[in-house]
Amino acid sequence: MPRRDSGRLDEMDVLFPQTSVTDVPPPEWARLYRTMVLSRKIEERLIRLYHQAKIFGGVYTGVGQEAIGAAATSASQQEDLFAPLIRNMTIHIGRGETTLNIFRQWLARASGPTRGRDGNVHYGNLKNGVYTMISHLGAMLPVIVGGVMAKRRRGFDTIGFGTIGDGGTSTGDFHEAVNFAAVYDVPVIFLIENNHFAYSTPREFQYKCARLADKAVGYGIEGYGVDGNDAVEMLLFFRKLAADLRARPRAVLVECDTLRMRGHGEHDDSSYVPKELLARYAARDPIKVARERLTNEGMLAAAQLDAIEAACAAEVDAAYREALREPPPDPATLAQGVYADG
Amino acid sequence: MPRRDSGRLDEMDVLFPQTSVTDVPPPEWARLYRTMVLSRKIEERLIRLYHQAKIFGGVYTGVGQEAIGAAATSASQQEDLFAPLIRNMTIHIGRGETTLNIFRQWLARASGPTRGRDGNVHYGNLKNGVYTMISHLGAMLPVIVGGVMAKRRRGFDTIGFGTIGDGGTSTGDFHEAVNFAAVYDVPVIFLIENNHFAYSTPREFQYKCARLADKAVGYGIEGYGVDGNDAVEMLLFFRKLAADLRARPRAVLVECDTLRMRGHGEHDDSSYVPKELLARYAARDPIKVARERLTNEGMLAAAQLDAIEAACAAEVDAAYREALREPPPDPATLAQGVYADG
Amino acid sequence: MVEMTYLDAIRDALRAALRDHPEVVLYGEDIGRFGGAFKVTLGFQEEFGADRCFDTPISESALFGSAIGMATQGLRPVVELQFADFGTNALHHLLNNAGTHHYRTGVPVPMTVRAPCGGGFGGGPFHSEELEAIFCHMPGIKVVYPAFPSDARNLLYAAILDPNPVVFLENKYLYRHVKELVPRAIEPVRIGAARIVRPGQEAVVLTYGAMVHEAMRAATRLAGQGYEVMVMDLRSLKPYDEDAIVAAAAATNRVLIVHEGWRTCGFGAELAALVAERAFHLLDAPVMRVTAPDVPVPYAPELESAYRPNAEKIEKALVELIEY
Amino acid sequence: MVEMTYLDAIRDALRAALRDHPEVVLYGEDIGRFGGAFKVTLGFQEEFGADRCFDTPISESALFGSAIGMATQGLRPVVELQFADFGTNALHHLLNNAGTHHYRTGVPVPMTVRAPCGGGFGGGPFHSEELEAIFCHMPGIKVVYPAFPSDARNLLYAAILDPNPVVFLENKYLYRHVKELVPRAIEPVRIGAARIVRPGQEAVVLTYGAMVHEAMRAATRLAGQGYEVMVMDLRSLKPYDEDAIVAAAAATNRVLIVHEGWRTCGFGAELAALVAERAFHLLDAPVMRVTAPDVPVPYAPELESAYRPNAEKIEKALVELIEY
Ligand SMILES: Cc1ncc(C[n+]2csc(CCOP(=O)(O)OP(=O)(O)O)c2C)c(N)n1
Ligand SMILES: Cc1ncc(C[n+]2csc(CCOP(=O)(O)OP(=O)(O)O)c2C)c(N)n1
Ligand SMILES: [Mg+2]
Ligand SMILES: [Mg+2]
């Protein structure tokens, strides 16, 4: 089935004035870059741990998709809310989760964000405005809609970012959440990370529209298509979009074109993904793209980026080792906290 | 919230050659007219029975929306499938259900289509290709998609008609069913009966898109808007559309603009519906519109239509009386038939 | 004291919660200007504003999901299902998200789901369901099911203030069929306490919801025959009052369980299991259940009355139990 | 005879059904070319064509709903849930439509839902659920849950040919953990028959799924201590084998119920209720239950092993029961 390439919609330029990288100060670009690099390095470690059988259960990563969460969190403000899914390490990092906490979670330590009660990708931190996902795809989208409604009622200028995969758009929850937010003009950015596959299922068995951003029309909201591997461009875009949503609250759909660069999880060799496709996106690895743009466009020097990378590597090593030394949950606590009052 | 009026989409004229009423022979027009008139008269009787407290539970009718099901069934073929909802008396009649069976159902007789096990609008007859709805809105849509897939696999040239209200489009099931049919090119016509209200809820609290037919874009299928009170026009349209779907199987959305002319059910005085709105649609009552067109355009004489009306009235009286005389279900049969084998 | 129907009591609790607690919001299908399918919220939108009582699209998943979102951000949402039956469209939110959230994250989810349930009025299979057994199976969820206006009011108010997700089951048949004199003020109650609504020593009927009234009727008739039967209204199903049940079994040595929902894996099975485990040595007769059969709720009045437990069926079972 | 794992057996039954019955179709997420998350259907798309084994969008409601549509139009659809947990997105289809259709219309719905369930492998709260109690509460639905490859094969084949909607629960932990020599040909079986998998007279363990193997282990250990314990594998949960259960209670006078799912309103409650009602006079001790606690399935191995019933916990309960 032929499919038009996703690209930025014309309306985007109409709606928002052009911005350039110089509108954003270098420290912010450094933070963006760090978010991506740190996430990548954490996930590379997780992958290694999986293959060393040091992780209970599966490992799922966002390798190749780091730009999206990095850009979105960079464009967000303190009181904003996020509902990340399994490919969103950069959302956790970008919203301030510590590397140590992330290894605590993956190693199921009592000290981790879910205290070993939930595993792997299922963590968050509402103090950072980050929800803890459940596995049921689509289900976090109405949650973030409600969260944003609540915070706004309480007087905060909150907007929300809810991520969903190309596959997740097929769920009833996606539909109900987007429609609900549209009807009540709840400022949530529904971030579709279109990485071409849902587990093994290629997107032509998931949907038939030309671009997922086209779904916006049917909800009476705006839909944008962005290059999901270009963090620099997305940061500029999300900054404008977020400001616009604060000024005129409403739901919007943003489709980010990207590719899942590893298996669905590390147990999956993803042999069903065409080699040429992988090569095409490998050439546009988001960290590489950001590095090139930031240096070429004079925002950060290569040495600065190298220093960030080295710091991230050291942070991962230290955090991993520290988490390893911490104790697992005490089985005697099994039944504690099922209810808030008991 | 301002809302563009629904109207026929441009593509429709592009896709299908113009047809005129003369392409359809008078007996078919007579059948179309009878379907509407008989349905109306049955429902008028049901309304009377409700207010005489002769019906257990509620009464829900399709008064004012008769054109849609009448046109759709008239355009259908023997092996087609229908999934009607609560406003679709004309689908039952149009697919051959007897007036007697309908009163048996509403009066909960043992001889009725659900043998008193289900009530009021919840009946069908798979021998006529008509599913028996459950109340959960949206839920019949994936059912008809599966039904059509099955019949086609078995070699029939089946297409399906699934109805849904403006309110029902907000359900996850609507989304999942339309998307599923779109991906697999299952020839189902999703007939949205946009009657402005979902129970008491006006459509601006149900969706924000300009027209519900706009949702088609997001599923990668065609969407059409039709005048849901003009049975003549719709019959011509559905004939063309059905033929086209048989030639090139695919899912389509059709939004029919109409108005619910009574309460949600007879218990509801629908005082929340603006009087002017009611007046506007009353002036375009579908039976009146059909009568005018069919006589003005020379298809049927007024006397012929009068004769149909008289016959329908007599049929309703006779059927109602006969059903009344029949026995209710025997309580001893309560547990029979929960399982197919026991 | 004021006289209230069951429905008045629910309305009164909601209004009090809206008045006393600015973080309470109500939403659901048609509950705004229209006041809901059963008119429970009539006038609230005018009184409290459209941001505290509003209509939603027909989207049960969005209802539950957004309530979880709100409850974790400082509000106390109370969502109305038009009928409990439609909750089955979105149980994943209750089971997987609302019910596990505090356990997984330490953040409570103070939301209430109002679920009108039960039959007896020609509602047929999709407007009469009793789904308490399904809700009670979910860790992290509380379930209450009042039988009287006073309990309806107190328990609903308590549910709204509870830090946990609570499913508040309200019986449609009782809406306008029971009246009670209740004090002007809402009383704080503990979710989890049963109540003996009629004393007796020949046997105890463990029940809840509409069946409490049927059991009372049966007990009254049996009193005429010289049998004094205790009727216990559980009121809370999760947690349920284990100790009160065991004490009642000890006091009567004969236990009949009655509910309007289906038999297999119904809530009565849980009660029977509790009695069989904790009160085994106290029993003089088998634990019996009077429930609906495992049949979809039928529509025809002849079938529905054969389907639905009532005073006659309860009386018959009690006689059998007492004479065992 | 051939040796098969539990997973092989499921695959074999599906392949046989596809071969023998042209009206059988399989679909679900990733089951086509990929062969499914657990590789049960690997190779089927090549062997039988993409119209008999195909992938779907992530749409559990569309899965269930379309299966109802197909089953009422001459096919026998077998849908795979990737995990049973995701079935909670669309229970309305099973409860309200599949389960009531024959009762309401007289038209049967021969569909099968394959639901991989259970924990023990680090799946956490959303990939380990045991939902049999919820499925068993639904009128009109049958539920089977094999513990051995032979039963898995025979029961799945029987489920597919059954004229009713059948939920086929398959335990993920057993997929590759149990092997059995089975005859080449699939045997026709009756859904609803339990099986004594180990004789004994001191007590009976009523169980199913993965817990059958834990109960066997416990029984073996107790045999070493001189206690002979019967283990009954229910195999079918709805309908379940009432008479066999009562007979086992009569033969042993002591009943322990074991399952991997949650306690409150779990399937074990139903079994306990049955025993308390029909086998009351046969018992020498209370009916006991060993189940998971009412806690979301935890992820950390330390917590999950505290959560999940196993041979040790069963043994301990048996000793308590026998020495009561
Ligand atoms: C409701 C539901 N059904 C099935 C699954 C099993 N599942 C987990 S991930 C996945 C594929 C997701 O694909 P997509 O949404 O595109 O996200 P991606 O993994 O590509 O980021 C599936 C089917 C699920 N988590 N939730
Ligand atoms: C899933 C679900 N939620 C709620 C209801 C209760 N309900 C019955 S009809 C109705 C309004 C339907 O409106 P619409 O779809 O526009 O159809 P109309 O009645 O206007 O024909 C509602 C909310 C239902 N039947 N199903
Ligand atoms: Mg994807
Ligand atoms: Mg409507």
Side-chain angles (χ1 to χ4, degrees):
Chain A
M1 194 182 314
R3 186 177 292 285
R4 264 196 289 144
D5 256 7
S6 276
R8 211 208 277 190
L9 294 193
D10 303 336
E11 307 94 281
M12 201 168 111
D13 294 326
V14 177
L15 246 177
F16 306 114
Q18 281 295 339
T19 38
S20 83
V21 290
T22 54
D23 295 347
V24 174
E28 280 208 34
W29 291 120
R31 189 160 84 87
L32 176 79
Y33 192 72
R34 174 184 178 272
T35 299
M36 289 198 285
V37 170
L38 183 55
S39 298
R40 174 74 59 89
K41 290 200 186 295
I42 292 171
E43 296 198 324
E44 282 170 352
R45 171 68 59 142
L46 293 174
I47 290 167
R48 211 193 298 165
L49 292 175
Y50 177 84
H51 295 288
Q52 295 168 345
K54 285 191 183 144
I55 300 237
F56 193 45
V59 165
Y60 309 85
T61 72
V63 171
Q65 301 179 213
E66 291 90 346
I68 301 162
T73 51
S74 287
S76 69
Q77 293 185 2
Q78 177 62 31
E79 296 298 340
D80 290 345
L81 290 176
F82 282 78
L85 294 179
I86 67 177
R87 316 261 173 238
N88 294 130
M89 181 64 79
T90 48
I91 289 183
H92 296 290
I93 297 293
R95 291 296 294 187
E97 191 51 281
T98 64
T99 307
L100 178 58
N101 261 347
I102 289 166
F103 281 107
R104 285 169 167 158
Q105 167 70 13
W106 280 89
L107 295 170
R109 302 293 134 170
S111 49
T114 63
R115 290 128 48 245
R117 275 125 201 257
D118 206 341
N120 51 63
V121 292
H122 303 86
Y123 63 102
N125 190 338
L126 282 180
K127 293 202 191 82
N128 298 335
V130 179
Y131 275 99
T132 295
M133 67 174 280
I134 65 167
S135 292
H136 301 61
L137 290 167
M140 296 310 296
L141 297 179
V143 173
I144 194 161
V145 172
V148 171
M149 290 173 87
K151 284 201 89 167
R152 296 184 72 81
R153 236 188 79 78
R154 290 175 53 218
F156 297 105
D157 195 18
T158 300
I159 66 173
F161 296 79
T163 60
I164 189 78
D166 42 297
T169 64
S170 301
T171 61
D173 276 45
F174 167 82
H175 176 68
E176 294 196 2
V178 176
N179 186 56
F180 196 92
V183 165
Y184 277 101
D185 279 329
V186 186
V188 171
I189 299 174
F190 294 96
L191 267 182
I192 305 178
E193 302 197 26
N194 189 338
N195 65 4
H196 294 239
F197 288 87
Y199 208 151
S200 76
T201 304
R203 55 197 190 177
E204 61 265 32
F205 290 110
Q206 202 69 240
Y207 61 87
K208 202 187 155 88
C209 49
R211 306 177 318 167
L212 285 168
D214 290 343
K215 292 195 178 291
V217 185
Y219 298 108
I221 62 177
E222 297 143 42
Y224 301 100
V226 297
D227 176 351
N229 281 27
D230 185 344
V232 173
E233 203 58 35
M234 279 193 291
L235 171 51
L236 297 175
F237 170 63
F238 285 134
R239 278 166 61 103
K240 291 183 287 184
L241 185 63
D244 209 69
L245 293 196
R246 283 185 228 280
R248 192 162 60 81
R250 63 198 191 278
V252 297
L253 266 192
V254 177
E255 178 183 11
C256 309
D257 179 81
T258 186
L259 186 71
R260 198 189 70 206
M261 297 305 285
R262 302 198 56 88
H264 173 65
E266 286 305 307
H267 60 281
D268 169 24
D269 68 6
S270 69
S271 49
Y272 49 83
V273 178
K275 294 277 165 300
E276 318 76 65
L277 188 65
L278 278 168
R280 207 159 81 224
Y281 280 83
R284 307 203 65 253
D285 177 89
I287 296 181
K288 201 174 112 195
V289 169
R291 191 179 176 96
E292 281 168 13
R293 284 201 64 174
L294 293 174
T295 51
N296 291 347
E297 300 178 31
M299 285 297 102
L300 294 166
Q304 286 174 290
L305 299 177
D306 292 344
I308 289 172
E309 291 181 22
C312 289
E315 180 169 338
V316 168
D317 282 347
Y320 161 62
R321 283 205 205 93
E322 185 169 341
L324 253 192
R325 279 192 305 268
E326 293 182 345
D330 177 357
T333 66
L334 170 67
Q336 284 173 17
V338 176
Y339 290 94
D341 47 3
Chain B
M1 193 181 316
R3 187 178 292 285
R4 266 196 287 146
D5 258 6
S6 276
R8 210 210 277 194
L9 293 193
D10 303 333
E11 307 94 282
M12 202 169 111
D13 294 326
V14 178
L15 245 180
F16 306 115
Q18 283 293 343
T19 38
S20 84
V21 291
T22 53
D23 295 347
V24 175
E28 281 208 32
W29 292 120
R31 188 159 86 86
L32 176 80
Y33 193 73
R34 174 183 177 274
T35 299
M36 289 198 284
V37 170
L38 182 56
S39 298
R40 174 74 59 90
K41 291 200 185 295
I42 292 171
E43 297 198 324
E44 282 171 351
R45 170 69 57 141
L46 293 175
I47 291 167
R48 210 193 299 165
L49 292 175
Y50 177 85
H51 295 288
Q52 295 168 345
K54 284 191 184 146
I55 301 240
F56 192 46
V59 165
Y60 308 85
T61 71
V63 171
Q65 301 180 213
E66 291 90 345
I68 301 162
T73 51
S74 288
S76 70
Q77 293 185 0
Q78 176 62 31
E79 296 297 340
D80 290 345
L81 290 175
F82 281 78
L85 293 179
I86 67 178
R87 315 261 173 237
N88 295 128
M89 181 63 81
T90 48
I91 289 183
H92 297 290
I93 298 293
R95 291 295 294 187
E97 190 52 280
T98 64
T99 306
L100 178 58
N101 261 347
I102 289 167
F103 280 107
R104 286 169 166 158
Q105 167 71 12
W106 281 89
L107 296 171
R109 302 293 135 171
S111 49
T114 63
R115 292 136 38 252
R117 276 129 200 253
D118 206 339
N120 50 62
V121 292
H122 304 85
Y123 61 101
N125 190 337
L126 282 180
K127 293 203 191 81
N128 299 336
V130 179
Y131 275 99
T132 295
M133 68 176 279
I134 65 168
S135 291
H136 301 62
L137 289 168
M140 296 309 296
L141 297 179
V143 174
I144 194 161
V145 171
V148 170
M149 289 173 90
K151 285 199 88 166
R152 295 184 71 82
R153 236 190 79 78
R154 290 175 52 221
F156 297 106
D157 195 17
T158 299
I159 67 172
F161 296 78
T163 61
I164 189 77
D166 42 300
T169 64
S170 301
T171 61
D173 276 44
F174 167 81
H175 176 69
E176 294 196 2
V178 176
N179 186 57
F180 195 92
V183 166
Y184 277 102
D185 280 328
V186 186
V188 171
I189 299 174
F190 293 96
L191 266 182
I192 304 178
E193 303 198 26
N194 190 337
N195 65 2
H196 295 238
F197 288 88
Y199 208 151
S200 75
T201 303
R203 54 195 190 180
E204 61 266 31
F205 291 109
Q206 203 68 239
Y207 61 88
K208 202 186 155 89
C209 49
R211 307 177 317 169
L212 285 168
D214 291 342
K215 291 194 178 291
V217 186
Y219 298 108
I221 62 177
E222 298 144 40
Y224 301 100
V226 297
D227 176 350
N229 280 27
D230 185 343
V232 173
E233 203 58 32
M234 279 193 291
L235 172 50
L236 297 176
F237 170 63
F238 285 134
R239 278 165 60 105
K240 290 182 289 185
L241 185 63
D244 209 67
L245 292 196
R246 282 184 230 282
R248 195 163 59 82
R250 63 198 191 276
V252 298
L253 266 192
V254 177
E255 178 183 12
C256 310
D257 179 81
T258 185
L259 187 71
R260 199 189 69 205
M261 298 304 288
R262 300 198 58 88
H264 174 66
E266 286 306 306
H267 60 281
D268 169 23
D269 68 7
S270 69
S271 49
Y272 48 83
V273 178
K275 294 277 164 302
E276 320 73 65
L277 188 66
L278 278 169
R280 206 160 81 225
Y281 279 84
R284 306 204 66 253
D285 178 274
I287 296 180
K288 200 174 112 194
V289 169
R291 190 179 177 96
E292 281 167 14
R293 282 201 66 173
L294 293 175
T295 50
N296 292 348
E297 299 178 31
M299 285 297 103
L300 294 165
Q304 286 174 292
L305 299 176
D306 291 343
I308 289 172
E309 291 181 22
C312 290
E315 181 169 338
V316 168
D317 281 348
Y320 162 62
R321 285 206 202 90
E322 184 169 343
L324 254 193
R325 280 192 303 267
E326 293 182 346
D330 177 357
T333 65
L334 170 66
Q336 284 173 17
V338 176
Y339 290 94
D341 47 4
Chain C
M1 304 287 273
V2 276
E3 196 180 57
M4 283 186 185
T5 63
Y6 188 85
L7 191 144
D8 293 334
I10 292 169
R11 181 184 295 143
D12 203 56
L14 292 173
R15 184 182 282 118
L18 283 164
R19 273 205 200 127
D20 303 348
H21 303 284
E23 73 274 21
V24 171
V25 293
L26 269 50
Y27 59 107
E29 292 148 20
D30 302 294
I31 78 158
R33 196 173 58 152
F34 190 64
F38 299 100
K39 300 288 178 194
V40 172
T41 58
L42 195 65
F44 284 13
Q45 193 170 75
E46 289 70 37
E47 191 174 345
F48 298 101
D51 64 333
R52 298 196 61 202
C53 177
F54 56 93
D55 293 330
T56 61
I58 304 176
S59 301
E60 280 74 14
S61 235
L63 266 181
F64 287 167
S66 61
I68 295 164
M70 290 186 193
T72 49
Q73 297 296 343
L75 298 190
R76 291 185 184 274
V78 183
V79 299
E80 177 182 302
L81 287 172
Q82 201 154 83
F83 288 83
D85 315 56
F86 304 130
T88 56
N89 283 39
L91 290 179
H92 60 303
H93 280 289
L94 297 182
L95 174 62
N96 295 286
N97 210 345
T100 68
H101 198 270
H102 185 264
Y103 187 67
R104 295 183 300 130
T105 72
V107 175
V109 185
M111 66 184 269
T112 304
V113 175
R114 289 183 41 232
C117 54
F121 59 96
F126 315 116
H127 290 78
S128 310
E129 285 173 357
E130 288 272 301
L131 301 175
E132 64 274 13
I134 292 178
F135 296 122
C136 287
H137 193 46
M138 301 177 176
I141 301 282
K142 292 187 177 180
V143 181
V144 296
Y145 196 165
F148 294 95
S150 53
D151 285 329
R153 198 170 60 141
N154 296 338
L155 282 170
L156 179 51
Y157 196 82
I160 295 170
L161 295 189
D162 199 279
N164 297 288
V166 183
V167 176
F168 181 85
L169 297 166
E170 42 192 73
N171 189 283
K172 300 186 292 288
Y173 186 83
L174 298 182
Y175 273 158
R176 296 167 208 278
H177 276 88
V178 286
K179 276 193 182 158
E180 194 183 3
L181 277 176
V182 301
R184 290 217 170 264
I186 291 176
E187 287 161 63
V189 292
R190 179 172 69 83
I191 290 178
R195 184 159 73 103
I196 295 168
V197 292
R198 183 185 173 104
Q201 67 291 328
E202 307 283 359
V204 61
V205 181
L206 304 177
T207 187
Y208 50 90
M211 291 302 123
V212 172
H213 302 278
E214 299 297 328
M216 296 278 274
R217 237 163 265 152
T220 307
R221 291 200 216 168
L222 284 173
Q225 297 165 236
Y227 293 131
E228 287 299 336
V229 170
M230 181 191 295
V231 178
M232 177 171 285
D233 175 4
L234 292 176
R235 304 194 294 184
S236 289
L237 305 187
K238 193 162 189 186
Y240 62 89
D241 197 337
E242 292 198 23
D243 293 339
I245 293 168
V246 173
T252 60
N253 313 118
R254 286 179 156 81
V255 177
L256 179 71
I257 294 160
V258 179
H259 59 63
E260 191 182 336
W262 298 303
R263 184 178 186 84
T264 301
C265 288
F267 188 72
E270 175 61 30
L271 295 175
L274 173 85
V275 173
E277 179 155 4
R278 284 197 48 198
F280 166 73
H281 52 289
L282 302 169
L283 296 182
D284 291 344
V287 184
M288 292 187 186
R289 288 184 278 171
V290 172
T291 70
D294 289 343
V295 170
V297 190
Y299 166 77
E302 298 80 8
L303 295 175
E304 195 182 4
S305 46
Y307 168 89
R308 207 166 174 255
N310 59 21
E312 291 72 46
K313 296 176 201 174
I314 296 169
E315 185 185 346
K316 194 159 158 279
L318 278 170
V319 170
E320 197 186 324
L321 185 68
I322 293 168
E323 294 180 352
Y324 180 82
Chain D
M1 303 287 274
V2 276
E3 196 181 55
M4 283 187 184
T5 64
Y6 189 84
L7 192 145
D8 294 333
I10 292 169
R11 180 183 296 143
D12 203 58
L14 292 173
R15 184 182 282 120
L18 282 165
R19 271 206 202 126
D20 303 348
H21 303 283
E23 72 274 21
V24 171
V25 292
L26 269 50
Y27 60 109
E29 292 148 19
D30 303 295
I31 79 159
R33 198 175 54 153
F34 190 63
F38 299 101
K39 301 290 177 189
V40 172
T41 57
L42 194 66
F44 284 14
Q45 193 171 74
E46 289 69 39
E47 190 174 344
F48 298 101
D51 63 333
R52 298 198 60 203
C53 177
F54 57 94
D55 293 330
T56 61
I58 303 176
S59 301
E60 281 73 14
S61 235
L63 265 181
F64 288 168
S66 61
I68 295 164
M70 289 186 193
T72 48
Q73 298 295 343
L75 299 190
R76 291 185 182 275
V78 183
V79 298
E80 177 182 302
L81 288 171
Q82 202 155 82
F83 288 83
D85 314 57
F86 303 129
T88 56
N89 283 39
L91 290 179
H92 60 303
H93 280 289
L94 296 183
L95 174 61
N96 296 287
N97 208 345
T100 67
H101 198 270
H102 185 263
Y103 187 67
R104 296 183 298 130
T105 71
V107 175
V109 185
M111 68 186 266
T112 303
V113 175
R114 287 183 42 231
C117 55
F121 59 97
F126 316 116
H127 290 79
S128 310
E129 285 173 355
E130 289 271 302
L131 302 174
E132 65 273 13
I134 294 178
F135 295 123
C136 287
H137 193 45
M138 301 176 174
I141 301 283
K142 292 187 178 180
V143 181
V144 295
Y145 196 165
F148 293 95
S150 53
D151 284 328
R153 197 170 61 142
N154 295 338
L155 281 171
L156 179 52
Y157 197 82
I160 295 170
L161 295 189
D162 198 280
N164 297 288
V166 183
V167 176
F168 182 84
L169 297 165
E170 44 193 70
N171 190 283
K172 299 187 291 290
Y173 187 83
L174 298 183
Y175 273 159
R176 296 167 208 277
H177 276 88
V178 287
K179 277 194 180 159
E180 195 184 3
L181 277 177
V182 302
R184 292 217 167 266
I186 291 177
E187 287 160 62
V189 292
R190 179 171 70 82
I191 291 179
R195 185 158 73 102
I196 295 170
V197 291
R198 184 186 172 105
Q201 68 291 328
E202 308 284 359
V204 61
V205 181
L206 304 177
T207 188
Y208 50 90
M211 290 303 124
V212 172
H213 302 278
E214 299 296 328
M216 297 277 275
R217 238 164 266 153
T220 307
R221 292 201 216 168
L222 284 172
Q225 298 166 236
Y227 292 131
E228 287 300 334
V229 170
M230 181 190 293
V231 178
M232 178 172 282
D233 175 4
L234 292 175
R235 304 194 292 186
S236 289
L237 305 188
K238 193 161 188 185
Y240 62 89
D241 197 337
E242 294 198 23
D243 292 340
I245 292 168
V246 173
T252 60
N253 312 118
R254 286 178 157 80
V255 177
L256 180 72
I257 294 160
V258 179
H259 58 63
E260 193 183 334
W262 298 303
R263 184 178 184 86
T264 301
C265 289
F267 188 72
E270 175 61 30
L271 295 175
L274 173 85
V275 172
E277 179 154 3
R278 284 196 49 199
F280 167 74
H281 53 288
L282 301 170
L283 296 182
D284 291 344
V287 184
M288 292 187 187
R289 289 185 275 172
V290 172
T291 70
D294 289 343
V295 170
V297 190
Y299 166 75
E302 298 80 11
L303 295 174
E304 194 181 5
S305 46
Y307 168 89
R308 205 164 174 254
N310 58 22
E312 291 71 46
K313 297 177 200 174
I314 296 168
E315 186 186 346
K316 196 162 156 276
L318 278 170
V319 169
E320 196 187 327
L321 186 69
I322 293 169
E323 294 180 353
Y324 179 84

